[in-house]
Amino acid sequence: MLKRITAVILISILLLTTLAGCRPTLDDGLTIRVGHVLAPDHPYSEGLKKFSELVYEKTDGKVFVDYFHSSQLGNERDMIEGLQLGTLEMALVSTAPLSSFTKEFLVFDLPFIFKDAENARNVLDGPIGDELFDVLDSQYIKGLAYWENGFRSVTNNRGPIETPEDMKGLKVRTMENPVHMASFNALGASPSPMAFGELFTALQQKTIDGQENPLPIVDTSKFYEVQDYLSLTEHFYAPAPLLISQKFYDSLTPEVQQALQEAAEEARDYERSLIDEMNAKLITELEEYGMEINFPDKQPFIDAVQPVYEQFSDIITPELIQRVIEAQE
Ligand code: EAX
């Protein structure tokens, strides 16, 4: 009997030693892939370049982050699935596609819920943002930090959007998100959900009239080449969480985990500053590119989409909405 127990203990030690040997040791060097769907000159890319430099520095050159733009590693839903399976290490996405995986993030997709970028950033970087990241645990995904996509406005080829009536029947591409679609239905438009990678072609082929995205995307994805009008509705704020596969994250040493967390937060602040810089100059630049830009009174749009809050009250609790509103100055 003693011999059998000894044999089991020895085999267990041998197995554990072998498995530990399978962990990507830092001495071998470690490459982390991170994907996003936007253009190579969008702040998403510049922020990931900074993230890569910081991680390399903080791990003494032992960990290299390789970042891929323009949906090279798939659309946002594909990449989120890759994180769950462990077939992709990291992704930088909007929160909207996360609604296919967990409903709690829908609160951030509600129209006009954030007063301005500063308030949005403070809420996301505070306890409410942390709580939503905790929800991702059940999806085998870990959120490192909330970067920024930004406030979304409507572009189209029919005419300037001055009031909700101007949205009637407008075929608008939306993200694959029920709150986004319900909001455009409430405005009288006809939402057409599709992945970002298909959008430019759809606009070029006029299968849709318009789309909605922040100015840095209208600029870097060259939507001004296929869209005549830009109306500053700023109807949604899109956070951009930097996500990592939980399975992959758990395989890392605490030192590398800490390096990734610190780098994600430092690069977040840098990426947000780039968005601010772009927003400050893009109105002029997009007009120079030939877009006709207008600034509608937001109140009629806010009034028109209020039913969306009630429509989703069973999923997005009034208590959580109230907390998000009260957390803003
Ligand atoms: O996260 O799909 C979109 O319109 C988003 O802005 C894009 O995926 C960036």
Side-chain angles (χ1 to χ4, degrees):
M1 185 60 174
L2 182 59
K3 278 186 179 176
R4 180 174 297 180
I5 292 170
T6 308
V8 167
I9 290 170
L10 284 174
I11 289 167
S12 305
I13 290 168
L14 182 63
L15 267 177
L16 283 172
T17 311
T18 311
L19 282 176
C22 295
R23 176 182 287 189
T25 59
L26 286 185
D27 298 338
D28 308 334
L30 185 62
T31 296
I32 297 175
R33 295 167 303 148
V34 51
H36 72 88
V37 298
L38 297 182
D41 55 341
H42 184 275
Y44 274 20
S45 281
E46 296 300 318
L48 287 173
K49 180 172 181 289
K50 183 77 169 178
F51 177 69
S52 177
E53 290 164 357
L54 287 166
V55 169
Y56 190 79
E57 186 185 300
K58 292 177 182 289
T59 60
D60 298 325
K62 292 279 197 310
V63 178
F64 177 70
V65 174
D66 203 357
Y67 49 99
F68 299 83
H69 57 79
S70 308
S71 304
Q72 294 175 61
L73 300 185
N75 64 42
E76 292 188 331
R77 285 173 58 168
D78 295 336
M79 291 194 286
I80 293 167
E81 283 167 8
L83 301 182
Q84 291 182 309
L85 297 169
T87 53
L88 176 61
E89 297 81 50
M90 294 186 71
L92 179 61
V93 298
S94 286
T95 49
L98 280 172
S99 62
S100 302
F101 302 86
T102 167
K103 295 304 177 202
E104 282 81 356
F105 274 87
L106 285 172
V107 66
F108 295 143
D109 297 315
L110 285 167
F112 302 106
I113 194 163
F114 287 117
K115 290 178 183 172
D116 52 40
E118 186 180 356
N119 272 297
R121 296 169 185 176
N122 290 339
V123 170
L124 291 161
D125 296 349
I128 295 173
D130 290 346
E131 281 171 36
L132 271 294
F133 269 169
D134 290 346
V135 167
L136 288 181
D137 291 352
S138 65
Q139 299 300 316
Y140 312 103
I141 297 171
K142 180 177 179 58
L144 292 178
Y146 291 95
W147 293 17
E148 183 166 282
N149 186 355
F151 279 100
R152 305 172 73 90
S153 291
V154 178
T155 67
N156 84 96
N157 279 335
R158 195 169 73 180
I161 308 291
E162 293 291 358
T163 69
E165 283 61 47
D166 296 327
M167 299 283 288
K168 286 273 180 292
L170 198 71
K171 287 183 288 182
V172 180
R173 176 269 179 176
T174 69
M175 298 180 79
E176 297 153 301
N177 176 288
V179 170
H180 285 200
M181 293 172 67
S183 300
F184 277 88
N185 277 322
L187 290 166
S190 172
S192 175
M194 73 177 72
F196 185 81
E198 301 159 26
L199 176 50
F200 189 91
T201 304
L203 291 169
Q204 203 170 34
Q205 294 176 350
K206 302 191 187 314
T207 53
I208 50 175
D209 301 316
Q211 65 87 39
E212 47 86 47
N213 252 296
L215 302 193
I217 291 180
V218 175
D219 175 44
T220 56
S221 291
K222 299 186 178 356
F223 290 158
Y224 54 82
E225 291 179 354
V226 288
Q227 294 276 267
D228 299 330
Y229 302 95
L230 167 61
S231 304
L232 271 292
T233 51
E234 299 179 316
H235 48 276
F236 300 136
Y237 173 85
L242 181 59
L243 306 175
I244 189 168
S245 163
Q246 189 69 58
K247 185 177 177 183
F248 174 71
Y249 182 80
D250 291 343
S251 75
L252 302 171
T253 63
E255 295 76 18
V256 172
Q257 290 173 347
Q258 183 180 343
L260 292 176
Q261 186 61 52
E262 289 173 1
E265 291 172 12
E266 289 175 40
R268 169 201 62 201
D269 297 342
Y270 173 67
E271 191 264 349
R272 285 172 173 175
S273 71
L274 294 179
I275 295 277
D276 291 341
E277 284 171 23
M278 289 190 80
N279 282 334
K281 63 184 182 179
L282 277 179
I283 296 294
T284 306
E285 286 190 11
L286 291 171
E287 274 178 338
E288 286 167 1
Y289 294 151
M291 294 196 89
E292 184 178 319
I293 300 177
N294 71 297
F295 300 79
D297 172 9
K298 294 190 175 85
Q299 195 55 52
F301 295 86
I302 293 170
D303 297 342
V305 296
Q306 281 314 301
V308 175
Y309 281 68
E310 174 59 32
Q311 183 181 343
F312 287 88
S313 58
D314 58 327
I315 302 174
I316 314 171
T317 63
E319 293 73 22
L320 178 55
I321 293 170
Q322 198 53 33
R323 285 180 61 205
V324 172
I325 291 169
E326 286 173 357
Q328 300 182 60
E329 291 173 359

